[in-house]
Amino acid sequence: MPKLRVLAGPSANELTPISHIVNTFQTHRIKSNRFDGEICVHIKGFVDEDGNRNDSAYFDPIPLSSTGTSNDSEYIGVGGHKYGKSVGSFSSTSSDTSSVQSSSGSVKGGEQRKAVTWSIQVRGRFLVEGLTMDDVLFGNTFDRRLKLPWGSGAALKFMNFVDPTLEHSLNSERPWALSPLISTMPYFAISHADGPTHEFATPNGAYVQDDTRQLGVPHFKNPGARRQYFSNVSKRREIPIETDDVITTDFCYGFLSFPEIRLNLPGGISFDLLNYWDGQPVRFVCCERQKSDRENGGGGGALKGPGDPFWVVVFQAVLDGEEPTPLPGEIQQTNGLHEDDSGEGADNKSAEEVRKGKEDRRRLQEDVD
């Protein structure tokens, strides 16, 4: 059974392993001169590189006690694990709340997450001046050609049905598939400097929900209406992104199943992706539209590929009996205990040092047990 490593950072050349906080509701800080924010990852059926399985209350919420809880509380989750705020976590410029939010800043939405199998939540500020909603893209990028299975055309049709704004070049030497962030994200919320905060999901079943009230656009009855509205490039270009805007997203779907890593499509179509896997990690990228595309009008099929990144999340499969291979540009923690999740002050370490850190961590755990 394959295992997974999860990494995150401001670019593919600056990645920090975060497998140890997957499914724990803890966040990882990403900070650069282009983006300042944090990320939280949940994967149903997640098995880490050491073979440990850690379930998440994101997929099976824990009811609140009769006394309730607050955003500053520690939550007791699956297996008695305590969930709390991370070290060096990002803070928005406002602590105001809104009537559409619960005490944790999210709202109940368990029914909408029933079929979800993974979630990548990101909240932060885009620090590049002069951006519009058409200039921030999200999708996947790869370093070499993909081995696409028979029937992949059906998968692409499904992707275009889910997201009509998707553009791709999956048969190229360096494949990519990208869409405008605001028209592809299942859940998207934005706060201006004096607006409400939007918190991440909590173990008791509060989730990130759509909130575009501050954009001055029509009220959307659901996220699908928002995605349809912003499938129009002119609508996206009308909305500037200010450097003090805080954008919160939840990229969550259910067409991938773990740990076997299968792609499940409507109509009973299913692919075992490991049969076509050539060792490449799956890289989720939020990036800027290339400036040449913007100068040439952008949108409407003019996309030439990814621009400069804002943040990156990587899923790397590790097969049974194999040691994980550190990725190019990977930053290792200074010790095996992951004392600091801010991503700051980490030193580069060799693969041998990485393995030694794992052994030390296992021995420490045995002593604790």
Side-chain angles (χ1 to χ4, degrees), residues 82-95:
K82 290 184 179 180
Y83 303 111
K85 291 183 177 180
S86 70
V87 176
S89 63
F90 165 85
S91 295
S92 69
T93 55
S94 170
S95 59

Side-chain angles (χ1 to χ4, degrees), residues 241-259:
I241 299 177
E242 306 295 343
T243 56
D244 59 355
D245 288 343
V246 178
I247 293 178
T248 305
T249 57
D250 188 359
F251 184 69
C252 55
Y253 279 111
F255 51 79
L256 285 178
S257 57
F258 302 92

Side-chain angles (χ1 to χ4, degrees), residues 54-331:
N54 183 18
D55 295 320
S56 172
Y58 179 101
F59 307 105
D60 187 17
I62 303 167
L64 283 171
S65 67
S66 58
T67 57
T69 187
S70 71
N71 190 40
D72 295 323
S73 301
E74 281 189 325
Y75 299 94
I76 306 300
V78 177
H81 188 92
K82 290 184 179 180
Y83 303 111
K85 291 183 177 180
S86 70
V87 176
S89 63
F90 165 85
S91 295
S92 69
T93 55
S94 170
S95 59
D96 294 339
T97 57
S98 165
S99 60
V100 301
Q101 297 171 298
S102 72
S103 61
S104 67
S106 304
V107 300
K108 295 289 183 177
E111 291 298 316
Q112 299 167 332
R113 304 304 206 275
K114 269 193 171 181
V116 165
T117 56
W118 90 91
S119 162
I120 300 174
Q121 300 168 92
V122 181
R123 177 176 60 234
R125 296 183 297 121
F126 293 88
L127 305 180
V128 176
E129 299 278 357
L131 295 175
T132 72
M133 287 296 176
D134 190 49
D135 299 324
V136 178
L137 308 174
F138 175 79
N140 299 103
T141 64
F142 301 89
D143 289 329
R144 58 183 182 271
R145 279 190 177 276
L146 295 173
K147 181 183 176 183
L148 297 176
W150 177 88
S152 58
L156 288 175
K157 287 181 180 179
F158 171 70
M159 291 165 61
N160 281 117
F161 173 77
V162 172
D163 178 11
T165 61
L166 175 71
E167 298 182 56
H168 64 84
S169 180
L170 292 178
N171 291 309
S172 64
E173 292 293 333
R174 295 176 64 88
W176 54 267
L178 296 165
S179 305
L181 184 77
I182 195 169
S183 60
T184 193
M185 276 291 165
Y187 299 97
F188 179 100
I190 184 169
S191 303
H192 295 323
D194 57 350
T197 57
H198 299 91
E199 300 298 334
F200 287 156
T202 65
N204 62 355
Y207 296 93
V208 175
Q209 298 294 328
D210 258 46
D211 186 357
T212 55
R213 292 169 297 164
Q214 297 185 69
L215 295 182
V217 295
H219 171 72
F220 303 121
K221 63 181 180 181
N222 54 45
R226 182 254 306 162
R227 294 196 296 268
Q228 182 177 10
Y229 179 86
F230 284 110
S231 65
N232 185 320
V233 62
S234 64
K235 300 296 186 184
R236 297 194 300 268
R237 292 176 185 164
E238 290 174 355
I239 308 295
I241 299 177
E242 306 295 343
T243 56
D244 59 355
D245 288 343
V246 178
I247 293 178
T248 305
T249 57
D250 188 359
F251 184 69
C252 55
Y253 279 111
F255 51 79
L256 285 178
S257 57
F258 302 92
E260 64 272 18
I261 313 183
R262 296 190 67 86
L263 174 65
N264 305 300
L265 302 178
I269 301 173
S270 180
F271 299 105
D272 183 346
L273 295 183
L274 286 181
N275 289 337
Y276 308 94
W277 184 61
D278 64 354
Q280 288 197 77
V282 177
R283 192 160 57 213
F284 298 91
V285 175
C286 181
C287 65
E288 185 176 356
R289 185 182 291 275
Q290 290 187 20
K291 289 187 170 51
S292 60
D293 289 344
R294 293 161 66 178
E295 292 166 359
N296 292 331
L303 193 60
K304 302 296 190 300
D308 294 333
F310 294 109
W311 52 262
V312 176
V313 177
V314 173
F315 290 179
Q316 181 187 23
V318 180
L319 300 182
D320 288 338
E322 293 186 359
E323 283 289 324
T325 302
L327 299 176
E330 180 177 332
I331 299 171

